[in-house]
Amino acid sequence: MCGIVGVIGNGPAAPVILGALQRLEYRGYDSAGIATLVNGHIERRRAEGKLANLAASLARTALAGSTGIGHTRWATHGAPTERNAHPHGTARVSIVHNGIIENHAELRAELEREGQEFTSETDTETVAQLVDFNLRRGMTPIEAAGAAFGRLHGAYALAMVFAGHPELMIGAQFGAPLAVGYGQHEMFLGSDALALAPLTRRVAYLRDGDWTVVTREGAAFFDAEGAEVTREIRLSSVAGGGVGKGGYRHFMEKELHEHPAVIGDTLHRMVDPASRAVMLPGLAMDPAAIERVSLVGCGGAYYAALAGRGWIEEVARIPADIDVASEFRYRAPPMAAGTLGVLVSQSGETADTLAALKYLRHAGTPVLSVVNVAESTMARESDAVLQTVAGPEIAVASTKAFTAQLTVLACLALGIGRARGTLHAAREAELTAALLQVPAAAALVLEDTATIQRVAERLMVARDVLYLGRGTCFAIALEGALKLKEICYIHAEAYAAGEMKHGPIALIDRDVPVVAIAPSGPLFEKTASNLQEAAARGGQLIVLSDAEGAAKLRRIAVETMVLPRVDPFVAPILYAIAVQMIAYQVAVLKGTDVDQPRNLAKSVTVE
Ligand code: AGP
């Protein structure tokens, strides 16, 4: 799961590749590497760890050559060492790969019997050795690569260069995206349009099974059967300018402070200011005809979808199913007619969610994506897109994209409800008014730094933390626990508050803080009873509520964060900001790598 890039350039390729890899680092930062062609020979430079290590190595000694490939890695097969860093290859061929070659063990055994010598533990090297073996048998690079693709099982985006062919790159796609960029007498390959953005706006996307032969003059495309095909060159609108921290310590801190603007911008697109009615432009099907919704996402996006399910059931009064994408695909649920598939993703490149997209399309189910990256694979391949206007999100832990997803899903529920006649105009206006109040309330939450600091000081010393919530706020308990795990490395679990007494309550003692997401509303009293049960067993309650709820729980809470009072319908959006801020502050206190936490990648492009 990685980012790949290729360049046939007019000047030194390595700095161009390095720049593109910086834009792809969201796909992994376990190691990085570049291979170029220097006087017809393949030269390679690799470094363990973040891209900065490779950049430092290149700054010490430059890598010549105007044609080359590069890679930033999230390790799957083989430890994140320099030895396992891409590019992989031999003196004849060098390859970078995003994906997983599932039949690598059989191929490796076969190739070793044929005398190919492996130097890494990766699945990728089998592709390089297979192409090399074909070259050894006298095939041309195009024949060698074309023959190799037919042997691969799994998912791949590949780019490769060949010794003695200084102006040739071959790329291939199956289950992982690859784009071809057209420059001025220069050509590029990249995992996405962002990688290519400052280099060119003219981009063609491969389809699954395609492979491409790229020279300085252009690119030829072939399908899985080897027939030459045409792939449209589009004008990309992705901006390639670097995103800075704007004076904040971390991207995550900056992105947290963008919550009010992002929620406001998203609402601006979705709510008509005059009528207070939700606008759902270009849905994949007539909202009045939607009889069921099937929501799919991964990680935080799944939690946003979980809140979305609650809203859709509440106001649109239709059944809503929900799955994590990795389960959905293999559970292979029968899709009833009248179902709208709703995919939720920040990146639009998450492999499991893309597999769900394929499944839904195969089942003939219309697909709506709630996606942040406009030209992502998911956005391009869905029937309809409701874009979250969160802007680039750089920190691995999602913050503003999550609340933008919540905002879009809340609006989607209102739009379907109105179309189906389960939500009347007056109530819709009330709920959109409540949504429009969120940006200002969000700004107040961000200002409460003193409380956030106190809560963070309690949590930073904990080994385990429980998060509790009910209804749509259960999704926020899950979000809080996920954030604490991913950036603070603290074990945290979330439970629907009423479920705690069925087992997890056994965990509660004085050392386990319990964070309660408890806004006033119809579920408050029930949640409060569950919190009493936890307090009675010594639980250290940290209560997140509004003034009224906080007053009721102050006696049993060791810490209280008072949030602005909002309509319970929109509370999840506001409380998400609080749990994210708390996790951020814990991470700062613990001194973790906030923006690029260990073992993670921003976009998970393998199954
Ligand atoms: C959230 O903080 C995580 N980094 C992660 O769970 C993320 O939400 C998940 O991988 C889904 O990514 P996507 O939204 O890009 O599809």
Side-chain angles (χ1 to χ4, degrees):
M1 184 181 83
C2 314
I4 68 173
V5 61
V7 173
I8 298 174
N10 290 321
V16 178
I17 295 171
L18 194 66
L21 292 180
Q22 273 158 358
R23 294 185 291 280
L24 288 173
E25 212 180 4
Y26 74 91
R27 289 168 169 262
Y29 38 81
D30 284 336
S31 66
I34 293 177
T36 56
L37 282 159
V38 183
N39 301 324
H41 300 289
I42 295 170
E43 298 268 334
R44 184 171 65 166
R45 189 73 57 79
R46 301 181 295 172
E48 191 175 319
K50 292 187 184 176
L51 195 57
N53 298 343
L54 178 68
S57 161
L58 290 168
R60 283 193 295 275
T61 328
L63 193 59
S66 56
T67 293
I69 52 176
H71 189 268
T72 180
R73 179 169 190 241
W74 187 80
T76 59
H77 295 59
T81 58
E82 185 176 331
R83 184 164 168 260
N84 288 329
H86 299 218
H88 288 289
T90 64
R92 297 179 191 85
V93 61
S94 191
I95 289 184
V96 288
H97 168 219
N98 167 34
I100 292 178
I101 305 300
E102 288 171 358
N103 59 336
H104 69 98
E106 300 98 278
L107 287 174
R108 188 178 181 124
E110 181 186 320
L111 289 161
E112 281 177 339
R113 279 198 300 277
E114 296 289 351
Q116 294 295 130
E117 285 177 21
F118 283 72
T119 57
S120 78
E121 304 153 77
T122 63
D123 55 330
T124 301
E125 198 187 350
T126 54
V127 187
Q129 294 291 348
L130 184 56
V131 175
D132 184 78
F133 176 64
N134 292 343
L135 291 168
R136 256 178 59 203
R137 289 196 299 169
M139 291 186 191
T140 65
I142 295 173
E143 291 165 348
F149 300 141
R151 303 281 325 270
L152 306 179
H153 299 168
Y156 52 82
L158 291 160
M160 53 187 87
V161 290
F162 302 85
H165 297 267
E167 300 210 335
L168 173 69
M169 293 189 294
I170 295 182
Q173 152 164 347
F174 191 87
L178 187 66
V180 176
Y182 294 74
Q184 294 291 342
H185 306 296
E186 296 183 297
M187 290 294 290
F188 309 100
L189 288 171
S191 289
D192 63 19
L194 181 63
L196 306 179
L199 306 171
T200 178
R201 290 184 62 204
R202 297 174 62 228
V203 173
Y205 292 97
L206 276 71
R207 297 191 193 149
D208 277 356
D210 282 359
W211 53 288
T212 181
V213 175
V214 183
T215 62
R216 190 177 292 283
E217 280 67 51
F221 296 90
F222 303 90
D223 66 15
E225 277 69 51
E228 189 157 0
V229 288
T230 308
R231 295 294 173 241
E232 180 199 352
I233 302 174
R234 307 167 179 216
L235 218 49
S236 167
S237 57
V238 174
V243 179
K245 289 184 194 157
Y248 290 98
R249 281 168 297 178
H250 302 102
F251 280 109
M252 184 174 175
E253 186 184 28
K254 172 173 172 264
E255 288 159 7
L256 281 161
H257 283 84
E258 287 169 0
H259 273 304
V262 162
I263 297 165
D265 290 349
T266 303
L267 287 170
H268 185 67
R269 280 215 186 169
M270 300 202 67
V271 178
D272 180 68
S275 65
R276 293 267 165 97
V278 162
M279 303 176 290
L280 296 178
L283 265 200
M285 60 192 284
D286 171 12
I290 300 171
E291 288 168 14
R292 194 177 191 102
V293 168
S294 185
L295 296 134
V296 183
C298 298
Y302 167 77
Y303 300 150
L306 193 62
R309 177 181 73 171
W311 285 320
I312 289 166
E313 288 175 344
E314 181 184 336
V315 296
R317 304 303 300 147
I318 51 173
D321 307 309
I322 181 158
D323 261 299
V324 288
S326 51
E327 289 295 315
F328 177 81
R329 178 204 186 163
Y330 294 107
R331 194 166 64 82
M335 302 305 299
T339 302
L340 176 70
V342 179
L343 303 179
V344 185
S345 175
Q346 187 283 131
S347 63
E349 299 292 351
T350 301
D352 288 321
T353 317
L354 286 175
L357 168 62
K358 272 192 192 148
Y359 178 81
L360 288 166
R361 293 196 70 104
H362 187 68
T365 304
V367 179
L368 166 72
S369 286
V370 177
V371 68
N372 196 41
V373 178
E375 287 179 35
S376 58
T377 308
M378 213 170 292
R380 283 183 285 115
E381 295 188 0
S382 297
D383 299 297
V385 176
L386 287 177
Q387 202 196 336
T388 49
V389 259
E393 192 180 66
I394 308 297
V396 164
S398 186
T399 51
K400 58 178 181 167
F402 179 78
T403 51
Q405 287 162 353
L406 291 175
T407 306
V408 168
L409 289 165
C411 290
L412 177 67
L414 298 186
I416 300 176
R418 186 190 58 228
R420 292 185 56 84
T422 53
L423 178 71
H424 299 295
R427 180 64 181 146
E428 183 185 8
E430 263 173 42
L431 292 179
T432 51
L435 281 166
L436 291 166
Q437 285 164 6
V438 174
L444 295 176
V445 173
L446 293 170
E447 274 173 20
D448 192 2
T449 50
T451 310
I452 290 163
Q453 176 73 16
R454 281 201 313 277
V455 173
E457 281 167 9
R458 280 186 186 273
L459 295 187
M460 73 170 288
V461 292
R463 209 188 66 170
D464 309 286
V465 179
L466 289 182
Y467 283 74
L468 302 179
R470 272 178 182 259
T472 47
C473 281
F474 171 45
I476 305 313
L478 287 160
E479 165 70 357
L482 177 67
K483 287 290 167 290
L484 212 64
K485 284 183 269 210
E486 69 177 336
I487 61 168
C488 312
Y489 315 145
I490 294 175
H491 172 243
E493 296 294 339
Y495 288 97
E499 183 65 9
M500 191 190 53
K501 58 187 175 293
H502 297 287
I505 200 164
L507 293 172
I508 289 180
D509 64 24
R510 297 197 62 78
D511 297 324
V512 181
V514 178
V515 181
I517 321 299
S520 291
L523 300 176
F524 178 83
E525 299 302 337
K526 297 285 177 206
T527 308
S529 302
N530 303 135
L531 300 182
Q532 293 283 0
E533 293 152 15
R537 287 154 181 89
Q540 303 292 296
L541 290 187
I542 296 168
V543 169
L544 275 50
S545 189
D546 44 63
E548 191 185 328
K552 289 180 187 164
L553 293 169
R554 204 174 293 277
R555 201 179 46 77
I556 57 170
V558 295
E559 203 64 72
T560 306
M561 180 167 178
V562 180
L563 287 89
R565 175 83 188 246
V566 289
D567 189 298
F569 185 80
V570 303
I573 310 176
L574 202 63
Y575 284 64
I577 300 169
V579 295
Q580 291 172 351
M581 284 291 285
I582 289 168
Y584 171 73
Q585 198 51 39
V586 174
V588 169
L589 291 175
K590 289 193 74 169
T592 61
D593 190 343
V594 174
D595 286 333
Q596 292 186 320
R598 68 187 183 201
N599 302 340
L600 296 177
K602 180 74 179 158
S603 174
V604 183
T605 59
V606 290
E607 267 194 69

